[in-house]
Amino acid sequence: KQEVTQIPAALSVPEGENLVLNCSFTDSAIYNLQWFRQDPGKGLTSLLLIQSSQREQTSGRLNASLDKSSGRSTLYIAASQPGDSATYLCAVRPRETSGSRLTFGEGTQLTVNP
Amino acid sequence: ETGVTQSPTHLIKTRGQQVTLRCSSQSGHNTVSWYQQALGQGPQFIFQYYREEENGRGNFPPRFSGLQFPNYSSELNVNALELDDSALYLCASSPGGAWGTEAFFGQGTRLTVV
């Protein structure tokens, strides 16, 4: 059974810091890994999608890497801003499924202080 | 292009009642999945529909059921509501049948069972 773990569970940093969020998964048989942002009480916003054949993806100040063999992904946020405060979730799509079936971690709650 | 929309946004029900939640998938997407997210936890997969057929189910009892319509919109029905059913219910859509595609989520329905 696929399990996804995110470390740390919570993180508080001053504005301007570069930071790294970690995600690990137990079964490397995945199609892709997706990072999401969730504001309190809201839905999920897709940030980055990394296919299993890729090593990293970048979007603006965000960079996500994937090491499928070791079951790890990191989300790097450069020059953090108070508007980045949210919960960040990673999710993997197991290889035997299609469509949108995902296994999620429990998230990292990020607070960026002005 | 419209995104994934869910209705209603909030709902309060009494234990033992039945509830129906609705989801309109993103244009061009024929796969819809439903997730339950308890407070402080990651979303848990309930089930998935592809072209009006259920093609995957998580560890949820039969009182959780669903439908997908010819226009690919979907409903989640929960019978005999329990207090533990209180959660944020999320719908996701993707262009199913294509492996490794990105999932897009709606804003969720907050269900409170009293």
Side-chain angles (χ1 to χ4, degrees):
Chain A
K1 176 190 172 187
Q2 178 74 266
E3 292 184 0
V4 180
T5 303
Q6 291 188 246
I7 294 172
L11 185 62
S12 181
V13 300
E15 181 177 4
E17 273 204 6
N18 302 324
L19 52 99
V20 174
L21 308 182
N22 296 291
C23 172
S24 62
F25 47 96
T26 54
D27 188 344
S28 62
I30 63 170
Y31 271 105
N32 58 44
L33 182 145
Q34 201 167 348
W35 282 94
F36 295 91
R37 169 187 172 135
Q38 186 174 34
D39 293 297
K42 304 294 185 182
L44 307 184
T45 300
S46 179
L47 297 174
L48 290 163
L49 172 73
I50 310 177
Q51 302 292 354
S52 62
S53 59
Q54 297 176 319
R55 298 286 291 183
E56 65 179 287
Q57 282 285 340
T58 298
S59 176
R61 294 182 294 108
L62 305 179
N63 176 276
S65 67
L66 174 64
D67 184 343
K68 196 176 69 164
S69 61
S70 67
R72 294 179 184 175
S73 176
T74 61
L75 179 67
Y76 175 83
I77 303 177
S80 58
Q81 303 171 357
D84 295 330
S85 298
T87 295
Y88 291 80
L89 294 154
C90 74
V92 298
R93 180 176 287 104
R95 182 161 282 278
E96 75 277 8
T97 66
S98 64
S100 48
R101 177 173 187 160
L102 296 166
T103 301
F104 283 86
E106 296 205 338
T108 293
Q109 186 174 357
L110 173 66
T111 303
V112 181
N113 301 299
Chain B
E1 177 181 284
T2 58
V4 180
T5 58
Q6 295 185 240
S7 63
T9 55
H10 295 85
L11 202 52
I12 299 175
K13 288 287 189 178
T14 303
R15 188 172 51 183
Q17 285 187 315
Q18 179 266 343
V19 68
T20 297
L21 310 182
R22 295 179 174 83
C23 172
S24 293
S25 61
Q26 186 162 317
S27 177
H29 289 184
N30 55 17
T31 299
V32 172
S33 293
W34 287 91
Y35 293 80
Q36 180 195 67
Q37 186 179 25
L39 201 60
Q41 298 186 12
Q44 298 292 316
F45 174 75
I46 302 175
F47 45 58
Q48 175 172 285
Y49 281 84
Y50 171 60
R51 293 183 176 178
E52 303 178 59
E53 299 277 340
E54 183 182 298
N55 77 338
R57 189 177 182 92
N59 189 26
F60 280 81
R63 60 189 185 83
F64 286 78
S65 64
L67 283 173
Q68 187 179 32
F69 301 99
N71 66 354
Y72 303 131
S73 65
S74 178
E75 288 183 352
L76 164 65
N77 300 290
V78 187
N79 294 321
L81 284 166
E82 301 177 358
L83 297 180
D84 284 349
D85 296 333
S86 295
L88 181 68
Y89 287 85
L90 296 162
C91 169
S93 76
S94 66
W99 302 92
T101 56
E102 190 170 4
F104 295 89
F105 281 77
Q107 80 281 12
T109 294
R110 171 69 64 184
L111 173 64
T112 302
V113 183
V114 297

Coordinates of all heavy atoms in Angstrom, one line a residue, chain A residues 2-65:
Chain A
Q2 N 0.6 2.1 -0.9 CA 1.4 3.4 -1.0 C 1.1 4.3 0.2 O 0.0 4.5 0.5 CB 1.0 4.1 -2.3 CG 1.7 5.4 -2.5 CD 3.1 5.3 -3.0 OE1 4.0 5.3 -2.2 NE2 3.3 5.2 -4.3
E3 N 2.2 4.8 0.8 CA 2.1 5.7 1.9 C 2.9 7.0 1.5 O 4.0 6.8 1.0 CB 2.5 5.1 3.2 CG 1.6 4.0 3.7 CD 1.9 3.5 5.1 OE1 2.9 4.0 5.6 OE2 1.2 2.6 5.5
V4 N 2.4 8.1 1.8 CA 3.1 9.4 1.5 C 3.3 10.1 2.8 O 2.3 10.3 3.6 CB 2.3 10.2 0.5 CG1 3.0 11.5 0.2 CG2 2.1 9.4 -0.8
T5 N 4.5 10.6 3.1 CA 4.8 11.3 4.3 C 5.4 12.7 3.9 O 6.3 12.7 3.0 CB 5.9 10.5 5.1 OG1 5.3 9.2 5.4 CG2 6.1 11.2 6.4
Q6 N 5.0 13.7 4.7 CA 5.6 15.0 4.4 C 6.2 15.5 5.7 O 5.6 15.5 6.8 CB 4.5 16.0 4.0 CG 4.0 15.6 2.6 CD 3.0 16.7 2.0 OE1 1.8 16.4 1.8 NE2 3.6 17.9 1.8
I7 N 7.4 16.1 5.5 CA 8.2 16.6 6.7 C 8.7 18.0 6.3 O 9.2 18.1 5.1 CB 9.3 15.7 7.1 CG1 8.8 14.4 7.6 CG2 10.2 16.3 8.1 CD1 9.9 13.3 7.8
P8 N 8.6 19.0 7.1 CA 8.0 19.0 8.4 C 6.5 19.1 8.3 O 6.0 19.5 7.3 CB 8.6 20.2 9.2 CG 8.8 21.2 8.1 CD 9.2 20.3 6.8
A9 N 5.8 18.9 9.4 CA 4.3 19.1 9.5 C 4.0 20.6 9.5 O 2.9 21.0 8.9 CB 3.7 18.4 10.7
A10 N 4.8 21.4 10.1 CA 4.6 22.8 10.1 C 5.9 23.5 10.0 O 7.0 23.0 10.5 CB 3.8 23.2 11.4
L11 N 5.9 24.7 9.5 CA 7.1 25.5 9.3 C 6.8 27.0 9.3 O 5.8 27.4 8.7 CB 7.7 25.1 7.9 CG 9.1 25.7 7.5 CD1 10.2 25.2 8.4 CD2 9.4 25.3 6.1
S12 N 7.6 27.7 10.1 CA 7.4 29.1 10.2 C 8.7 29.8 9.9 O 9.7 29.5 10.5 CB 6.9 29.5 11.6 OG 6.7 30.9 11.7
V13 N 8.7 30.7 8.9 CA 10.0 31.4 8.5 C 9.7 32.9 8.3 O 8.6 33.3 8.1 CB 10.5 30.7 7.1 CG1 10.7 29.2 7.3 CG2 9.5 31.0 6.0
P14 N 10.8 33.7 8.4 CA 10.7 35.1 8.1 C 10.6 35.3 6.6 O 11.2 34.5 5.8 CB 11.9 35.7 8.7 CG 12.9 34.6 8.7 CD 12.1 33.3 8.9
E15 N 10.0 36.3 6.2 CA 9.9 36.7 4.7 C 11.3 36.8 4.1 O 12.2 37.3 4.7 CB 9.2 38.0 4.6 CG 9.0 38.5 3.2 CD 8.2 39.8 3.1 OE1 7.9 40.4 4.2 OE2 7.9 40.3 2.0
G16 N 11.4 36.3 2.9 CA 12.6 36.3 2.1 C 13.5 35.1 2.2 O 14.4 34.9 1.3
E17 N 13.2 34.2 3.1 CA 14.0 33.0 3.2 C 13.6 32.0 2.0 O 12.5 31.9 1.6 CB 13.7 32.2 4.5 CG 14.6 32.7 5.6 CD 14.7 31.7 6.7 OE1 14.2 30.6 6.6 OE2 15.3 32.0 7.8
N18 N 14.7 31.2 1.7 CA 14.5 30.1 0.8 C 14.2 28.9 1.6 O 14.7 28.7 2.7 CB 15.7 29.9 -0.1 CG 16.1 31.1 -0.9 OD1 15.3 31.8 -1.4 ND2 17.4 31.3 -1.0
L19 N 13.2 28.1 1.2 CA 12.9 26.9 2.0 C 12.6 25.7 1.2 O 12.3 25.8 0.0 CB 11.7 27.3 2.9 CG 10.4 27.8 2.2 CD1 9.4 26.7 2.0 CD2 9.8 28.9 3.0
V20 N 12.7 24.5 1.9 CA 12.5 23.2 1.2 C 11.5 22.4 2.0 O 11.6 22.3 3.2 CB 13.8 22.5 1.2 CG1 13.6 21.1 0.6 CG2 14.8 23.2 0.3
L21 N 10.5 21.9 1.3 CA 9.5 21.0 1.8 C 9.8 19.6 1.3 O 10.1 19.5 0.1 CB 8.1 21.5 1.4 CG 7.7 22.9 1.7 CD1 6.3 23.2 1.4 CD2 8.0 23.3 3.2
N22 N 9.6 18.6 2.2 CA 10.0 17.3 1.8 C 8.8 16.4 1.7 O 7.8 16.5 2.5 CB 11.0 16.7 2.8 CG 12.3 17.4 2.8 OD1 13.0 17.4 1.9 ND2 12.5 18.2 3.9
C23 N 8.8 15.4 0.8 CA 7.8 14.4 0.6 C 8.4 13.1 0.3 O 9.4 13.1 -0.6 CB 6.9 14.9 -0.6 SG 5.7 13.7 -1.2
S24 N 8.0 12.1 0.9 CA 8.5 10.7 0.7 C 7.4 9.8 0.4 O 6.3 9.9 1.0 CB 9.4 10.2 1.8 OG 8.7 10.1 3.0
F25 N 7.6 8.8 -0.4 CA 6.6 7.8 -0.7 C 7.2 6.4 -0.7 O 8.4 6.2 -1.0 CB 5.9 8.1 -2.0 CG 6.8 8.4 -3.2 CD1 7.2 7.4 -4.1 CD2 7.3 9.7 -3.4 CE1 8.0 7.7 -5.1 CE2 8.1 10.0 -4.4 CZ 8.5 9.0 -5.3
T26 N 6.4 5.4 -0.4 CA 7.0 4.1 -0.1 C 7.1 3.2 -1.4 O 7.9 2.3 -1.4 CB 6.1 3.3 0.9 OG1 4.7 3.3 0.5 CG2 6.2 4.0 2.3
D27 N 6.2 3.4 -2.4 CA 6.2 2.6 -3.6 C 6.7 3.4 -4.8 O 6.0 4.4 -5.1 CB 4.8 2.0 -3.8 CG 4.8 1.0 -4.9 OD1 5.7 0.9 -5.7 OD2 3.8 0.2 -5.0
S28 N 7.8 3.1 -5.4 CA 8.3 3.9 -6.5 C 7.6 3.7 -7.8 O 7.9 4.3 -8.8 CB 9.8 3.6 -6.7 OG 10.0 2.2 -7.0
A29 N 6.6 2.8 -7.8 CA 5.8 2.5 -9.1 C 4.7 3.6 -9.2 O 3.5 3.3 -8.9 CB 5.2 1.1 -9.0
I30 N 5.1 4.8 -9.7 CA 4.2 5.9 -9.8 C 4.3 6.4 -11.2 O 5.3 6.2 -11.9 CB 4.5 7.0 -8.8 CG1 5.9 7.6 -9.1 CG2 4.4 6.5 -7.4 CD1 6.2 8.9 -8.3
Y31 N 3.1 7.0 -11.7 CA 3.1 7.7 -12.9 C 3.6 9.1 -12.8 O 4.3 9.6 -13.7 CB 1.7 7.7 -13.5 CG 1.5 6.5 -14.4 CD1 0.7 5.5 -13.9 CD2 2.0 6.4 -15.6 CE1 0.4 4.4 -14.7 CE2 1.8 5.3 -16.4 CZ 1.0 4.3 -16.0 OH 0.8 3.2 -16.7
N32 N 3.2 9.8 -11.7 CA 3.7 11.1 -11.5 C 3.5 11.6 -10.1 O 2.9 10.8 -9.3 CB 3.0 12.1 -12.5 CG 1.5 12.1 -12.3 OD1 0.9 12.1 -11.2 ND2 0.8 12.1 -13.4
L33 N 4.0 12.7 -9.7 CA 3.8 13.3 -8.4 C 3.4 14.7 -8.6 O 3.9 15.4 -9.5 CB 5.2 13.3 -7.6 CG 5.1 13.8 -6.2 CD1 6.1 13.0 -5.3 CD2 5.5 15.3 -6.1
Q34 N 2.4 15.2 -7.8 CA 1.9 16.5 -8.0 C 1.9 17.2 -6.7 O 1.6 16.7 -5.6 CB 0.4 16.4 -8.5 CG -0.2 17.6 -9.1 CD -1.5 17.3 -9.9 OE1 -1.9 16.1 -10.1 NE2 -2.2 18.3 -10.3
W35 N 2.4 18.5 -6.7 CA 2.3 19.4 -5.5 C 1.2 20.3 -5.6 O 0.9 20.9 -6.7 CB 3.6 20.2 -5.4 CG 4.8 19.4 -4.9 CD1 5.8 18.7 -5.6 CD2 5.2 19.2 -3.6 NE1 6.7 18.2 -4.8 CE2 6.4 18.5 -3.5 CE3 4.7 19.7 -2.3 CZ2 7.0 18.1 -2.3 CZ3 5.3 19.3 -1.2 CH2 6.5 18.6 -1.2
F36 N 0.5 20.5 -4.5 CA -0.7 21.4 -4.4 C -0.5 22.4 -3.3 O 0.2 22.1 -2.3 CB -1.9 20.5 -4.1 CG -2.4 19.6 -5.1 CD1 -1.9 18.3 -5.1 CD2 -3.2 20.0 -6.1 CE1 -2.3 17.4 -6.1 CE2 -3.7 19.1 -7.1 CZ -3.2 17.8 -7.1
R37 N -1.2 23.4 -3.4 CA -1.3 24.4 -2.3 C -2.8 24.5 -1.9 O -3.7 24.4 -2.7 CB -0.9 25.8 -2.9 CG -1.3 26.9 -1.9 CD -1.0 28.3 -2.6 NE -1.5 29.3 -1.7 CZ -0.9 30.4 -1.4 NH1 0.3 30.7 -1.9 NH2 -1.4 31.3 -0.6
Q38 N -3.0 24.6 -0.6 CA -4.4 24.7 0.0 C -4.4 25.8 1.0 O -3.7 25.8 2.0 CB -4.8 23.4 0.6 CG -6.3 23.4 1.0 CD -6.8 22.0 1.5 OE1 -6.0 21.3 2.1 NE2 -8.0 21.7 1.3
D39 N -5.3 26.8 0.7 CA -5.5 27.8 1.7 C -6.6 27.3 2.6 O -7.4 26.5 2.3 CB -6.0 29.1 0.9 CG -4.8 29.7 0.1 OD1 -3.8 30.1 0.8 OD2 -4.9 29.7 -1.1
P40 N -6.7 27.9 3.9 CA -7.6 27.4 4.9 C -9.0 27.3 4.4 O -9.6 28.2 3.9 CB -7.5 28.4 6.0 CG -6.1 28.9 5.9 CD -5.8 29.0 4.4
G41 N -9.6 26.1 4.5 CA -11.0 25.8 4.1 C -11.3 25.8 2.6 O -12.5 25.8 2.2
K42 N -10.3 25.9 1.8 CA -10.4 26.0 0.4 C -10.0 24.7 -0.3 O -9.6 23.7 0.3 CB -9.6 27.1 -0.2 CG -9.9 28.5 0.5 CD -11.3 29.0 0.2 CE -11.5 30.4 0.7 NZ -12.9 30.8 0.5
G43 N -10.2 24.7 -1.6 CA -9.8 23.5 -2.4 C -8.3 23.5 -2.7 O -7.6 24.3 -2.1
L44 N -7.9 22.6 -3.6 CA -6.5 22.5 -3.9 C -6.2 23.2 -5.2 O -6.9 23.0 -6.2 CB -6.2 21.0 -4.0 CG -6.5 20.1 -2.9 CD1 -6.1 18.7 -3.1 CD2 -6.0 20.6 -1.6
T45 N -5.0 23.9 -5.2 CA -4.5 24.5 -6.4 C -3.3 23.8 -6.8 O -2.3 23.6 -6.0 CB -4.2 26.0 -6.1 OG1 -5.3 26.7 -5.7 CG2 -3.6 26.6 -7.4
S46 N -3.3 23.3 -8.0 CA -2.1 22.5 -8.5 C -0.9 23.5 -8.8 O -1.1 24.5 -9.4 CB -2.5 21.8 -9.8 OG -1.3 21.1 -10.3
L47 N 0.2 23.1 -8.2 CA 1.4 23.9 -8.4 C 2.4 23.4 -9.5 O 2.8 24.1 -10.4 CB 2.2 24.0 -7.1 CG 1.4 24.7 -5.9 CD1 2.3 24.6 -4.6 CD2 1.1 26.1 -6.2
L48 N 2.7 22.1 -9.3 CA 3.6 21.5 -10.2 C 3.3 20.0 -10.4 O 2.9 19.4 -9.4 CB 5.1 21.6 -9.7 CG 5.7 23.0 -9.8 CD1 6.9 23.1 -8.9 CD2 6.0 23.4 -11.2
L49 N 3.5 19.5 -11.6 CA 3.3 18.1 -11.9 C 4.6 17.6 -12.4 O 5.1 18.2 -13.4 CB 2.2 17.9 -12.9 CG 2.0 16.5 -13.5 CD1 1.4 15.6 -12.4 CD2 1.1 16.5 -14.7
I50 N 5.1 16.5 -11.8 CA 6.4 15.9 -12.3 C 6.1 14.5 -12.8 O 5.6 13.7 -12.0 CB 7.5 15.8 -11.2 CG1 7.7 17.2 -10.5 CG2 8.8 15.4 -11.8 CD1 8.7 17.1 -9.4
Q51 N 6.3 14.2 -14.0 CA 6.1 12.9 -14.5 C 7.3 12.0 -14.0 O 8.3 12.4 -13.6 CB 6.1 12.8 -16.1 CG 5.1 13.7 -16.7 CD 3.7 13.2 -16.5 OE1 3.5 12.2 -15.9 NE2 2.7 14.0 -16.8
S52 N 7.0 10.7 -13.9 CA 8.0 9.7 -13.4 C 9.3 9.7 -14.1 O 10.4 9.4 -13.5 CB 7.4 8.3 -13.3 OG 7.1 7.9 -14.6
S53 N 9.3 10.1 -15.4 CA 10.5 10.2 -16.2 C 11.3 11.5 -16.0 O 12.4 11.6 -16.6 CB 10.2 10.0 -17.7 OG 9.3 11.0 -18.1
Q54 N 10.7 12.4 -15.3 CA 11.4 13.7 -15.1 C 12.1 13.8 -13.8 O 11.8 13.1 -12.8 CB 10.3 14.8 -15.2 CG 9.6 14.9 -16.6 CD 8.5 15.9 -16.6 OE1 7.8 16.1 -15.7 NE2 8.4 16.7 -17.7
R55 N 13.0 14.7 -13.7 CA 13.8 14.9 -12.5 C 13.3 16.2 -11.7 O 13.4 16.2 -10.5 CB 15.3 15.1 -12.8 CG 15.9 13.9 -13.4 CD 16.1 12.7 -12.4 NE 17.1 13.1 -11.4 CZ 17.5 12.2 -10.5 NH1 17.0 11.0 -10.4 NH2 18.4 12.6 -9.6
E56 N 12.8 17.2 -12.5 CA 12.4 18.4 -11.8 C 11.5 19.2 -12.7 O 11.4 19.0 -14.0 CB 13.6 19.3 -11.4 CG 14.4 19.8 -12.4 CD 15.5 20.7 -11.8 OE1 15.2 21.8 -11.3 OE2 16.7 20.2 -11.8
Q57 N 10.7 20.1 -12.1 CA 9.9 21.0 -12.8 C 10.0 22.4 -12.1 O 10.1 22.4 -10.9 CB 8.4 20.6 -12.8 CG 8.1 19.5 -13.8 CD 8.0 20.0 -15.2 OE1 7.8 21.2 -15.4 NE2 8.1 19.1 -16.1
T58 N 9.8 23.4 -12.8 CA 10.0 24.8 -12.3 C 8.8 25.6 -12.7 O 8.4 25.5 -13.9 CB 11.3 25.4 -12.7 OG1 12.4 24.7 -12.2 CG2 11.4 26.9 -12.2
S59 N 8.3 26.5 -11.8 CA 7.3 27.4 -12.1 C 7.5 28.7 -11.2 O 7.3 28.6 -10.0 CB 5.9 26.9 -11.9 OG 4.9 27.9 -12.1
G60 N 8.0 29.7 -11.8 CA 8.3 30.9 -11.1 C 9.3 30.7 -10.0 O 10.4 30.2 -10.2
R61 N 8.9 31.0 -8.7 CA 9.8 30.8 -7.6 C 9.8 29.4 -7.0 O 10.4 29.1 -6.0 CB 9.4 31.8 -6.5 CG 9.6 33.3 -6.8 CD 9.2 34.2 -5.6 NE 7.8 34.1 -5.3 CZ 7.3 33.6 -4.3 NH1 8.1 33.0 -3.4 NH2 6.0 33.6 -4.0
L62 N 9.0 28.5 -7.7 CA 8.9 27.1 -7.2 C 9.7 26.2 -8.1 O 9.7 26.3 -9.3 CB 7.4 26.7 -7.2 CG 6.4 27.6 -6.5 CD1 5.0 27.0 -6.6 CD2 6.8 27.7 -5.0
N63 N 10.3 25.2 -7.4 CA 11.1 24.2 -8.1 C 10.8 22.9 -7.4 O 11.0 22.8 -6.2 CB 12.6 24.5 -8.2 CG 13.4 23.4 -8.8 OD1 13.7 22.4 -8.1 ND2 13.6 23.4 -10.1
A64 N 10.3 21.9 -8.1 CA 10.1 20.6 -7.5 C 11.0 19.6 -8.1 O 11.2 19.6 -9.4 CB 8.6 20.2 -7.7
S65 N 11.6 18.7 -7.3 CA 12.5 17.6 -7.8 C 11.8 16.3 -7.5 O 11.0 16.2 -6.5 CB 13.9 17.7 -7.2 OG 13.8 17.5 -5.8

